[in-house]
Amino acid sequence: MLIKIGEFDCTECWDEVFYKKLANYPAITEWEIQTVLDFEHYEKQNGRECFIEVDNYILKAIEDYKKTYESGKRANVPEKITECVACPKYKGCMTDYVCHTAPVENAINIFKCGSLQAPTKWRGVTASVLKAEDRNAANDPEDYFDYICWIS
């Protein structure tokens, strides 16, 4: 899996590339580093090696933070995550709430249920079926459907 960090339209994973948008490129926060390392950790747990493509000074900041990350210390979540572009009204996600790009009907069901669930739970089909669907335009790996909330 390739991790590209830079000035993109949004943060997204597409065709085995994780595009990580920085809120204030070229500066990178501890929170942003943590999200990159969390992604890298998840990918390694699922048998995928990661390669980071970024300017050397940002790569150095990531390497410098790894000891803190590996100690288990977590960075504070910002009040607003501006890398998300799904909500043009707020120009980011207010982290007191969950932001999810889903139709209103699905959002209502999430609140009724009381939790976000993996698409395998929502749709009642296996991850292999979801991976094979045409709507998997990003070519997400099978394990994403058991873990990452994806409702449509």
Side-chain angles (χ1 to χ4, degrees):
M1 182 69 70
L2 178 61
I3 302 171
K4 289 186 173 193
I5 303 171
E7 198 167 16
F8 304 110
D9 290 336
C10 62
T11 292
E12 68 179 337
C13 193
W14 197 270
D15 271 336
E16 298 181 19
V17 179
F18 176 51
Y19 296 93
K20 176 65 178 172
K21 173 186 171 65
L22 299 181
N24 192 24
Y25 182 82
I28 188 167
T29 66
E30 287 183 356
W31 165 258
E32 290 168 326
I33 293 171
Q34 180 176 284
T35 62
V36 169
L37 294 175
D38 284 347
F39 182 82
E40 181 180 53
H41 178 76
Y42 175 85
E43 291 298 303
K44 284 182 180 177
Q45 283 184 318
N46 285 279
R48 292 181 291 273
E49 191 173 354
C50 292
F51 303 94
I52 298 176
E53 184 178 293
V54 68
D55 295 329
N56 284 334
Y57 60 91
I58 294 175
L59 188 58
K60 183 178 180 340
I62 293 169
E63 290 300 320
D64 290 348
Y65 189 76
K66 274 192 178 178
K67 265 191 184 173
T68 301
Y69 179 82
E70 290 167 355
S71 76
K73 182 181 177 199
R74 303 293 290 172
N76 292 329
V77 178
E79 284 185 38
K80 185 177 185 181
I81 300 174
T82 58
E83 69 191 59
C84 176
V85 295
C87 184
K89 180 178 179 182
Y90 297 105
K91 300 193 181 347
C93 290
M94 305 308 291
T95 57
D96 284 343
Y97 303 98
V98 172
C99 176
H100 188 74
T101 55
V104 172
E105 300 77 24
N106 287 354
I108 291 168
N109 287 333
I110 290 168
F111 283 113
K112 283 181 182 174
C113 170
S115 66
L116 292 172
Q117 296 182 5
T120 52
K121 301 258 192 249
W122 277 100
R123 300 265 315 278
V125 295
T126 65
S128 59
V129 168
L130 294 170
K131 179 181 176 15
E133 288 184 340
D134 288 341
R135 66 167 141 183
N136 182 14
N139 196 28
D140 288 336
E142 194 170 308
D143 57 277
Y144 280 26
F145 298 97
D146 286 318
Y147 178 76
I148 294 177
C149 188
W150 172 78
I151 301 170
S152 54

